[in-house]
Amino acid sequence: MEIAEIGDHWELIKVDKESKEDKMGDDFKVDKGMDTLTLSDELGPESEQLTNGHNNPTEVSKSSAKLKRVEDVLEWHEYFMASAFLVAKRSKDPATRVGAVIVNEANKIVGTGYNGMPIGCSDDDFPWDKNTPNELDSKYLYVCHAEMNAILNKNSADTNKCRIYSSLFPCNECAKIIIQSGIREVIYMCDKDMRKPATIASKRMFDAAKIKYWQFKPQNEKIVIDMYENIR
């Protein structure tokens, strides 16, 4: 490859090694004084360093069609609720796996949690049963709920004015902690225990503390995560 001055412009010339005949293509034309050659053909390693006659390196870039952005992205609420369900996959509770995610005003996740035994209390030694003759054999006396763990596991100074996403409506004990932590909005997915005293008490406290709560309605029934999407 060579660059030759042709009239008032420069042209990149292909040299046939056998016939020694010069071949000039319109795709390689560039005006004098330009610093960049945009080529539609693949030039190969010979084009890495080209000069324009003034000993200045000329950058060569290959033209390409402009890519369009992806349109089917998750909106914020769906993204955070899906994250809560993903976090719930860490729970070892055989009956109900719950996940919670705390989000600040800048749409940054500042805490996550799922229902499980306290640190140091073995998942194998403590009970997972619900209704037992002996109350001490029931999980309810031991399990830390997802909302509690999310607040205790926060990675920010506080959760004031944050919102929390939970796959299940918070119980009365979690409602107390949510209110005390400064969280101002509760987004939940399931409200299967709406008639239980604990849930009724939660809503009563939220109403009194002016905590906004509402049920999330997903746009997608399922969200599939393909771990190999970007490496195939």
Side-chain angles (χ1 to χ4, degrees), residues 8-85:
D8 60 350
H9 63 270
W10 298 93
E11 292 193 5
L12 185 63
I13 302 174
K14 292 182 179 180
V15 180
D16 190 323
K17 293 182 180 180
E18 294 182 359
S19 64
K20 304 299 182 181
E21 294 178 358
D22 293 345
K23 298 180 181 179
M24 295 181 291
D26 292 336
D27 290 335
F28 304 115
K29 185 179 293 185
V30 60
D31 292 335
K32 284 183 177 180
M34 291 182 64
D35 293 328
T36 304
L37 289 173
T38 302
L39 309 180
S40 60
D41 291 345
E42 185 69 46
L43 298 181
E46 294 179 74
S47 64
E48 291 182 0
Q49 288 293 329
L50 300 176
T51 59
N52 61 9
H54 301 284
N55 296 322
N56 293 326
T58 302
E59 177 187 352
V60 179
S61 61
K62 185 178 179 180
S63 63
S64 59
K66 185 177 180 180
L67 294 176
K68 294 183 179 180
R69 72 181 184 90
V70 176
E71 297 292 342
D72 58 335
V73 298
L74 297 176
E75 56 92 22
W76 283 118
H77 290 308
E78 193 138 23
Y79 167 66
F80 293 128
M81 185 59 77
S83 298
F85 273 85

Side-chain angles (χ1 to χ4, degrees), residues 12-176:
L12 185 63
I13 302 174
K14 292 182 179 180
V15 180
D16 190 323
K17 293 182 180 180
E18 294 182 359
S19 64
K20 304 299 182 181
E21 294 178 358
D22 293 345
K23 298 180 181 179
M24 295 181 291
D26 292 336
D27 290 335
F28 304 115
K29 185 179 293 185
V30 60
D31 292 335
K32 284 183 177 180
M34 291 182 64
D35 293 328
T36 304
L37 289 173
T38 302
L39 309 180
S40 60
D41 291 345
E42 185 69 46
L43 298 181
E46 294 179 74
S47 64
E48 291 182 0
Q49 288 293 329
L50 300 176
T51 59
N52 61 9
H54 301 284
N55 296 322
N56 293 326
T58 302
E59 177 187 352
V60 179
S61 61
K62 185 178 179 180
S63 63
S64 59
K66 185 177 180 180
L67 294 176
K68 294 183 179 180
R69 72 181 184 90
V70 176
E71 297 292 342
D72 58 335
V73 298
L74 297 176
E75 56 92 22
W76 283 118
H77 290 308
E78 193 138 23
Y79 167 66
F80 293 128
M81 185 59 77
S83 298
F85 273 85
L86 182 61
V87 171
K89 294 295 184 181
R90 282 288 305 156
S91 174
K92 298 177 179 65
D93 192 326
T96 306
R97 304 168 83 183
V98 182
V101 171
I102 301 172
V103 180
N104 65 16
E105 293 179 294
N107 282 333
K108 306 296 183 184
I109 294 177
V110 297
T112 65
Y114 55 88
N115 55 320
M117 295 298 172
I119 296 173
C121 299
S122 173
D123 298 315
D124 297 321
D125 296 337
F126 282 79
W128 290 105
D129 296 300
K130 295 192 296 183
N131 302 314
T132 59
N134 186 347
E135 190 176 4
L136 288 173
D137 294 330
S138 171
K139 69 174 184 177
Y140 293 122
L141 294 181
Y142 310 104
V143 171
C144 296
H145 286 186
E147 299 89 342
M148 175 194 295
N149 278 330
I151 294 170
L152 294 175
N153 294 335
K154 68 182 185 299
N155 57 15
S156 63
D158 60 60
T159 53
N160 191 42
K161 296 183 180 180
C162 287
R163 60 188 187 273
I164 187 168
Y165 294 80
S166 181
S167 55
L168 183 65
F169 195 92
C171 71
N172 62 308
E173 294 298 327
C174 288
K176 298 174 189 177

